[in-house]
Amino acid sequence: MATEAGHEVKDEANPLADGLERQPIHPTTLTIFGATGDLSKRKLLPALYNLAHEGALPERFNLIGSSRSELSDDDFRELAQESIREYSRREPDDKVMDALLANVRYVSGAFDEDDVYEQLKEATAAFDEDADVVFNRVFYLSTAPSFFPVIVGQLGEHGLGHHDDSDVRVVIEKPIGTNLAEAKELNQAVLNVLDEDQVFRIDHYLGKETVQNMLAFRFANGLFEPIWNRNYIDNVQITSAEDIGIGSRAGYYDTSGALRDLVQNHMLQLLCLLCMEPPVNFYADEVRDEKVKVLHAIHPPKPEEVADMTVRAQYTADAVAGEEVKGYKDEEDVPDDSTTETYAALRLEVDNWRWAGVPIYLRTGKRLARKVTEIAVTLKPVPHLAFREEGSVGVQPNQIILTMQPNEGVSITLGAKIPGSRMRIRPVNMEFLYGTAFMSESPEAYERLITDFMRGDATLFTRDDEVEAQWAICDPILEAWEADDAPVHEYPAGSDGPDEADGLLRSGEHWRAI
Amino acid sequence: MSESGDVWSESDTTPAAISDALRELLKQRHAEAEAVVPARVLNLVVIVDREWRGEIQNRLDKVGSYHASRTILCSVEEGRTTIDGWASMTAEEDVSEGELAVAHEQVVVDIGPRHLESLDTIIDPLIVSDLATLVWAPHGHREGVDACSRLAQIVLFDSVDVDDPVAAVERSRKLAESHYVVDLAWLRSTPWRERVASTFDPHQWRGELQSITSVAARHQSESAIAGLLLFGWLSSRLGWKPGRVTAHGGAMRGSATAHRQEIKLSLEPDETMTTPGLAGITIETASGLSISLDRGPGGLTARRRTRDGSEHEWTVTGASRGESGILGEGIRQALLRDHTYAPALGAAGEMVA
């Protein structure tokens, strides 16, 4: 089926679909590469079950698992059942689970083996033939990134990359490379076989309701847009703090670090949603075009600017929530001489008409004081401070705080008169809490994203140029850090981060307390 | 998740006293735990017979996450002349540090039949201003619903509860003149409508929509209206001209007219089915295609037969929502707007006019 700008273009609309909350999804065969892996067991299979439970899967749906493990169809069915029972957000209904997994297939083998793809070809064709319907094909690459080009190349080699009568889509998990060169190389390898509109680069963060709500906040409220520019906004702080350490992820984390793990993807996505111009509509490419414009307007630091525009640090042993915790270098499997940052802070600017001159501060870290993800937009102070009175903190600039977790919502700090005979002012909060205003529970991000890619809607997925533009910002920083051009500072576990991060701020500015 | 809450009650009380008590409960709860914040989504006013109050409360308790933020249950007791009030505020107890505990408020007002005529004056001080208000009277009490008309924007209604399909359509139409109507019978048919839409969505079957020659719906014996609403939906979406659908023994039969053909419509009661709603649908087209959907294990059992005699059967997965789930969905739908119900109701009305 033809797609344009990420949404399906049908020759003739289905009159029965109009008004339905859940729009029809074309019958689909989903193949998960890495089907016995952690992501599949913890997230994908439970998400598929929950969609099946809610009647949200396509009317006809087939599942194929593939990995190196030698399993039969029945073994894989059993593994899927166990995963669903353990990780589903709701108690599974056995009848629904049986129906979901009744026709499940499993193909074992290494991802570079031709036989795997021949078996997949046969299995998908058999599903079509049995049903007398040509199913769309979706291949989900839930594997180590090194297999992405291998699998996509093999799909192409075996004629699985395109189909005359159905849509073929490939879903790729992050990370897309570990630097710009790798990202470009991977994108090129993928696009040698597939068209960009077949590729869905998944970043589950974008599937979260509160991240999507940023678009509603900005573009459904006339209240904010007039002030959403350099004339009224003084600075922006984007924070993604975690109170936990790296746990057992040293193997991954020590080769990644905070910048690659969170800044290059999640935090730059938040920055884009905050700074982008209103798209003409909410079709995938219109939204992504606007995000890419923001990324292109960010001037990546030159090598000599990295030390002034960034701070990296590692946590040291201290107390968190009353418990002593290890420092990063004392964590299991972390090398003693590791320079991997567990904290990163950046000062960026978006050099365009709307944002020129507004510093945008990003910070993320492990083992910080608490878990919080928020964007704090600080407005410029009022021009005339008529309320200078002794005995109060006085007039503070207004702040608009968009909180993604743990308490999803929006708050605005306002100056208010303290009751009494004198005109004393202090900031107070006006809060909107997302959880109190809707009855619905937010669906799991993966459930939303699975239905989106099966429907062919790429709005919440990252495009090739978007990924490359993100790396273009982070690459010079990583290069400078790897060349040891910037020191690795330290911060006590349970703190707000290293003192050196204050050096990124302009005179009179402060980091918001975490 | 465990919940804890504070309770207030008073006999021979006034709406103002109940309103004061709610404010006091909120202060108390907030003082006990700062994380407690009241939900602010929807007021739900439920008017029930005193003797069936427990059953309705039980249904409301099971709606899962779709609690209204403030539920005001008006319990009508024969012979009562005074008002008794009971209010509680419950909040999730085991929330993590730094997270919110969303509180829900429940009010039970015991009233007599004489209060129904001016029920709005009792309810008015009790609803949260600026929130949407939904009124539901599962045991009739039209007088009470009408009295609340100025306060409620939405009426929850179950057309299956009205014995006669003609009267059900008429009642819903009447309510729709002044309110947005959420009809539980319509919501029970949502999975069926979604599946019919999906079945004809692939290009190879889409064209068959224009050549449908018959639709048969099987339904629980008291849910003929569910089938009529489905016929009304198909008529309004596919541009059919509704014809008369009349009773033939326990069944109903009739027709509609499309651009090129007449469509036979039939409703058959399924005596084995105990819960309200549809039991199955069969749609046939001029090309010899027949598609059936029937309740089955783990979802709906779909069968497709083509002119050449080939048959395919599969399961469209989905768990039954149960009557509590339907009620929860009804409460959730109060915040949305479905523009396809009114045309479907209109077409169903023409069929039984």
Side-chain angles (χ1 to χ4, degrees):
Chain A
M1 191 171 296
T3 62
E4 184 176 283
H7 61 286
E8 290 188 354
V9 177
K10 293 172 178 169
D11 303 328
E12 194 181 333
N14 177 351
L16 299 182
D18 184 31
L20 292 175
E21 204 173 335
R22 269 199 286 266
Q23 290 291 297
I25 304 176
H26 190 84
T28 299
T29 297
L30 172 66
T31 301
I32 302 176
F33 289 100
T36 58
D38 222 33
L39 177 70
S40 171
K41 288 196 284 193
R42 285 172 182 269
K43 295 290 181 186
L44 303 183
L45 293 167
L48 287 171
Y49 170 76
N50 281 301
L51 291 171
H53 187 104
E54 286 167 9
L57 281 180
E59 184 219 1
R60 307 200 70 169
F61 175 78
N62 304 306
L63 176 63
I64 304 176
S66 180
S67 81
R68 290 178 67 96
S69 309
E70 284 286 341
L71 299 178
S72 65
D73 292 347
D74 287 342
D75 293 337
F76 180 57
R77 184 178 298 111
E78 204 170 307
L79 177 144
Q81 284 171 340
E82 282 169 15
S83 305
I84 291 164
R85 285 205 177 91
E86 189 166 357
Y87 298 113
S88 167
R89 66 183 165 90
R90 61 157 63 89
E91 186 71 26
D93 175 323
D94 283 344
K95 288 178 183 164
V96 175
M97 190 152 64
D98 289 347
L100 170 69
L101 301 174
N103 297 319
V104 77
R105 291 287 316 275
Y106 183 80
V107 175
S108 66
F111 299 133
D112 57 354
E113 277 177 25
D114 290 340
D115 187 49
V116 167
Y117 300 88
E118 287 305 315
Q119 285 188 62
L120 286 176
K121 202 171 179 179
E122 280 172 28
T124 47
F127 280 133
D128 290 353
E129 197 174 327
D130 288 350
D132 191 23
V133 169
V134 184
F135 287 78
N136 280 347
R137 278 94 161 122
V138 179
F139 298 99
Y140 197 120
L141 278 51
S142 173
T143 66
S146 55
F147 291 117
F148 296 165
V150 177
I151 295 170
V152 174
Q154 287 282 28
L155 290 174
E157 285 288 314
H158 292 269
L160 287 161
H162 295 274
H163 193 283
D164 289 343
D165 301 316
S166 72
D167 289 339
V168 179
R169 302 184 183 116
V170 173
V171 184
I172 301 178
E173 274 285 340
K174 80 174 181 76
I176 308 296
T178 62
N179 56 36
L180 179 59
E182 282 186 21
K184 281 185 169 176
E185 197 180 328
L186 175 60
N187 280 336
Q188 192 52 56
V190 169
L191 296 177
N192 284 341
V193 175
L194 305 163
D195 301 324
E196 175 58 31
D197 63 10
Q198 294 179 273
V199 185
F200 290 72
R201 295 174 192 81
I202 203 164
D203 179 345
H204 74 277
Y205 205 66
L206 293 181
K208 289 180 184 286
E209 288 281 322
T210 42
V211 175
Q212 295 164 51
N213 193 42
M214 280 185 65
L215 292 172
F217 171 80
R218 284 203 53 208
F219 303 126
N221 297 291
L223 179 65
F224 302 108
E225 191 53 27
I227 60 165
W228 218 249
N229 57 60
R230 63 190 303 274
N231 297 324
Y232 293 91
I233 292 178
D234 187 76
N235 69 81
V236 175
Q237 292 184 15
I238 304 178
T239 301
S240 178
E242 291 184 86
D243 53 358
I244 55 170
I246 58 160
S248 58
R249 295 171 69 218
Y252 159 74
Y253 199 87
D254 198 62
T255 58
S256 170
L259 194 79
R260 286 189 176 100
D261 193 42
L262 275 171
V263 176
Q264 182 271 334
N265 34 65
H266 303 336
M267 297 190 76
L268 285 178
Q269 285 290 336
L270 290 181
L271 185 153
C272 287
L273 294 172
L274 184 89
C275 296
M276 66 191 264
E277 295 298 316
V280 175
N281 54 46
F282 284 95
Y283 292 141
D285 274 343
E286 275 75 1
V287 173
R288 297 190 296 185
D289 284 347
E290 295 304 334
K291 289 201 289 180
V292 169
K293 282 182 202 166
V294 174
L295 293 166
H296 285 167
I298 295 173
H299 130 84
K302 294 176 185 145
E304 63 273 20
E305 293 174 326
V306 169
D308 288 336
M309 291 173 63
T310 70
V311 166
R312 60 172 169 163
Q314 288 177 341
Y315 58 84
T316 55
D318 213 309
V320 174
E323 298 289 330
E324 288 296 320
V325 298
K326 291 177 185 171
Y328 178 65
K329 283 181 184 159
D330 301 322
E331 300 273 17
E332 202 174 327
D333 297 330
V334 173
D336 292 342
D337 59 350
S338 171
T339 58
T340 300
E341 77 285 358
T342 61
Y343 175 97
L346 283 69
R347 184 183 65 241
L348 299 174
E349 280 191 26
V350 177
D351 285 326
N352 64 16
W353 192 275
R354 186 190 284 263
W355 292 103
V358 179
I360 299 179
Y361 303 108
L362 280 65
R363 65 176 161 164
T364 181
K366 298 274 186 196
R367 285 272 186 240
L368 292 172
R370 69 188 176 99
K371 180 178 181 174
V372 64
T373 302
E374 66 171 26
I375 298 174
V377 177
T378 303
L379 302 190
K380 291 190 170 169
V382 290
H384 175 58
L385 297 177
F387 304 113
R388 282 187 192 143
E389 274 282 351
E390 295 295 320
S392 76
V393 294
V395 177
Q396 305 286 316
N398 300 118
Q399 280 194 323
I400 301 167
I401 319 293
L402 307 169
T403 309
M404 279 79 207
Q405 62 178 358
N407 291 328
E408 308 159 15
V410 180
S411 71
I412 301 176
T413 61
L414 305 168
K417 181 181 173 297
I418 300 169
S421 58
R422 296 170 62 192
M423 184 55 88
R424 293 180 301 176
I425 308 291
R426 81 168 184 88
V428 293
N429 272 7
M430 188 168 76
E431 279 193 297
F432 154 70
L433 297 162
Y434 205 71
T436 65
F438 298 95
M439 286 176 286
S440 322
E441 287 169 10
S442 296
E444 277 283 303
Y446 273 101
E447 291 169 30
R448 164 69 196 260
L449 294 170
I450 286 170
T451 50
D452 278 5
F453 67 63
M454 287 200 286
R455 190 176 283 124
D457 182 351
T459 310
L460 300 178
F461 296 81
T462 320
R463 206 168 57 190
D464 57 345
D465 54 346
E466 207 175 344
V467 173
E468 290 172 17
Q470 288 170 344
W471 277 120
I473 295 163
C474 293
D475 243 24
I477 303 169
L478 289 166
E479 283 168 15
W481 285 358
E482 278 159 21
D484 276 340
D485 283 350
V488 183
H489 301 290
E490 293 184 336
Y491 61 100
S495 70
D496 278 5
D499 293 341
E500 288 80 1
D502 292 349
L504 297 177
L505 307 175
R506 295 180 303 191
S507 171
E509 291 177 342
H510 306 279
W511 287 106
R512 268 175 62 79
I514 286 178
Chain B
M1 183 167 287
S2 65
E3 292 194 329
S4 73
D6 299 320
V7 173
W8 168 94
S9 66
E10 191 169 84
S11 297
D12 197 3
T13 189
T14 64
I18 302 171
S19 177
D20 288 346
L22 283 165
R23 271 191 297 277
E24 198 51 41
L25 283 172
L26 179 58
K27 276 188 207 165
Q28 278 175 24
R29 291 294 282 145
H30 194 68
E32 288 163 16
E34 279 190 5
V36 172
V37 288
R40 287 293 174 252
V41 191
L42 183 76
N43 299 300
L44 171 61
V45 178
V46 189
I47 309 166
V48 297
D49 286 341
R50 174 69 182 84
E51 58 186 316
W52 301 110
R53 185 174 93 181
E55 183 197 324
I56 297 299
Q57 279 182 313
N58 203 22
R59 280 179 74 182
L60 288 168
D61 284 346
K62 290 181 183 167
V63 298
S65 58
Y66 301 128
H67 284 290
S69 22
R70 184 173 285 182
T71 302
I72 302 157
L73 190 81
C74 304
S75 169
V76 185
E77 187 177 5
E78 279 301 323
R80 173 175 277 281
T81 56
T82 57
I83 296 172
D84 288 356
W86 177 94
S88 81
M89 176 167 293
T90 53
E92 295 158 2
E93 236 184 1
D94 43 357
V95 290
S96 309
E97 193 183 334
E99 294 193 346
L100 293 176
V102 179
H104 294 92
E105 297 144 303
Q106 283 195 52
V107 180
V108 179
V109 191
D110 289 321
I111 56 173
R114 75 179 187 89
H115 294 113
L116 285 171
E117 194 182 349
S118 54
L119 187 61
D120 56 326
T121 61
I122 296 172
I123 297 303
D124 200 345
L126 303 182
I127 59 176
V128 183
S129 305
D130 298 328
L131 296 187
T133 298
L134 169 68
V135 64
W136 179 40
H139 305 138
H141 298 301
R142 289 188 187 189
E143 201 179 2
V145 174
D146 293 343
C148 291
S149 198
R150 71 176 179 88
L151 300 173
Q153 301 78 42
I154 312 127
V155 173
L156 187 67
F157 168 67
D158 192 347
S159 49
V160 167
D161 286 343
V162 182
D163 294 341
D164 172 16
V166 180
V169 169
E170 199 44 49
R171 177 65 181 151
S172 184
R173 276 176 156 177
K174 182 77 182 156
L175 289 168
E177 286 173 9
S178 51
H179 296 84
Y180 176 69
V181 176
V182 176
D183 185 348
L184 295 181
W186 176 250
L187 299 183
R188 285 188 200 95
S189 76
T190 303
W192 299 88
R193 286 181 282 118
E194 285 177 349
R195 292 317 176 189
V196 171
S198 293
T199 299
F200 288 97
D201 197 61
H203 270 240
Q204 67 196 101
W205 310 119
R206 184 89 54 87
E208 298 284 338
L209 283 174
Q210 304 309 319
S211 62
I212 291 174
T213 53
S214 75
V215 183
R218 298 167 286 283
H219 59 85
Q220 184 243 17
S221 56
E222 292 172 0
S223 299
I225 184 68
L228 277 172
L229 285 170
L230 183 85
F231 292 166
W233 172 68
L234 287 166
S235 289
S236 59
R237 302 316 312 160
L238 298 174
W240 299 345
K241 183 174 168 33
R244 291 272 295 154
V245 177
T246 53
H248 291 261
M252 293 181 82
R253 296 206 173 82
S255 64
T257 311
H259 184 57
R260 286 191 293 258
Q261 81 281 9
E262 187 176 80
I263 301 111
K264 286 183 188 165
L265 304 174
S266 72
L267 288 171
E268 300 281 346
D270 179 341
E271 302 296 344
T272 63
M273 191 170 154
T274 52
T275 52
L278 294 170
I281 307 171
T282 300
I283 298 176
E284 293 176 333
T285 74
S287 72
L289 174 72
S290 167
I291 287 178
S292 296
L293 291 167
D294 288 280
R295 287 174 184 262
L300 300 180
T301 302
R303 291 180 193 86
R304 189 183 66 226
R305 195 187 66 235
T306 44
R307 180 189 287 275
D308 62 10
S310 63
E311 284 198 17
H312 295 272
E313 183 176 312
W314 67 97
T315 300
V316 186
T317 55
S320 168
R321 292 175 289 178
E323 280 301 291
S324 295
I326 297 290
L327 179 58
E329 181 62 15
I331 295 170
R332 189 179 79 90
Q333 287 288 329
L335 301 179
L336 306 173
R337 293 294 178 266
D338 181 348
H339 66 269
T340 59
Y341 173 68
L345 182 73
E350 285 185 54
M351 290 175 185
V352 291

